[in-house]
Amino acid sequence: MISPSKLEYFFKFIRFLVFFKNPKLGFVGRKTRIFKKNKISFGSHLNIGSYCNIDPRFCKSVKFGDRVSIRDYFLLTSYSSKGLPISGSLVVGNNVGFSEKCHIHLRGDISLGNDVIVGPSCTFISENHRFASLDKPFRLQGIDRTG
């Protein structure tokens, strides 16, 4: 009889094959959701934890380098609405680690270099509200997608 832990590792490997078709020695955790896989490219040894949500539907592209580790509860979202261009792209270098509960909200471009460690619960948002006029609420003054 196969032990439950061996079965779990087997299913992680199967999930990885289903999501990326071209495995490069990585794993995808339980209940992780990945949308628009055709916009995601990655190097070797990509590991994604459990309960992650990677949703690049409204961005240009997402590129992960070699040896990238994403821990549990990671969130990547992209956003676009009427009148706004499609969101930017994310480029992550080699040897990068994201700790638990990191959030990346792609509105403009975000680039992380090599050998970066992102601590727990860090948030990256590549969008700013304009606030030149003191007479208007800043939410009505528009946005800049320059992060």
Side-chain angles (χ1 to χ4, degrees), residues 1-145:
M1 182 166 190
I2 299 173
S3 70
S5 63
K6 287 185 180 178
L7 269 175
E8 180 63 27
Y9 285 117
F10 172 75
F11 285 118
K12 281 184 180 180
F13 183 70
I14 294 301
R15 282 192 294 269
F16 186 82
L17 288 174
V18 168
F19 283 128
F20 290 109
K21 296 180 186 171
N22 184 9
K24 295 180 182 178
L25 303 175
F27 293 95
V28 176
R30 291 185 325 200
K31 297 191 178 180
T32 288
R33 299 185 311 171
I34 302 173
F35 301 92
K36 282 292 191 181
K37 295 171 276 301
N38 61 329
K39 290 190 174 190
I40 302 171
S41 63
F42 58 94
S44 63
H45 299 86
L46 173 67
N47 291 302
I48 302 174
S50 297
Y51 306 101
C52 298
N53 189 11
I54 300 175
D55 185 0
R57 283 184 273 194
F58 300 107
C59 74
K60 294 175 188 166
S61 66
V62 174
K63 296 178 183 177
F64 294 107
D66 295 335
R67 296 169 302 284
V68 174
S69 175
I70 297 172
R71 300 295 305 258
D72 299 342
Y73 299 100
F74 176 85
L75 173 67
L76 178 127
T77 63
S78 56
Y79 174 78
S80 187
S81 64
K82 188 175 182 178
L84 292 175
I86 195 162
S87 294
S89 28
L90 172 67
V91 177
V92 176
N94 300 326
N95 304 311
V96 174
F98 292 95
S99 295
E100 291 83 0
K101 299 180 183 177
C102 289
H103 295 179
I104 297 177
H105 301 280
L106 273 178
R107 306 301 188 258
D109 295 332
I110 295 178
S111 178
L112 296 174
N114 296 330
D115 302 306
V116 174
I117 298 173
V118 181
S121 301
C122 285
T123 301
F124 296 89
I125 303 172
S126 56
E127 178 176 80
N128 291 309
H129 288 273
R130 295 183 190 135
F131 51 91
S133 173
L134 298 177
D135 299 330
K136 277 171 100 175
F138 76 92
R139 66 180 178 82
L140 299 176
Q141 296 185 44
I143 55 172
D144 290 319
R145 290 189 166 178

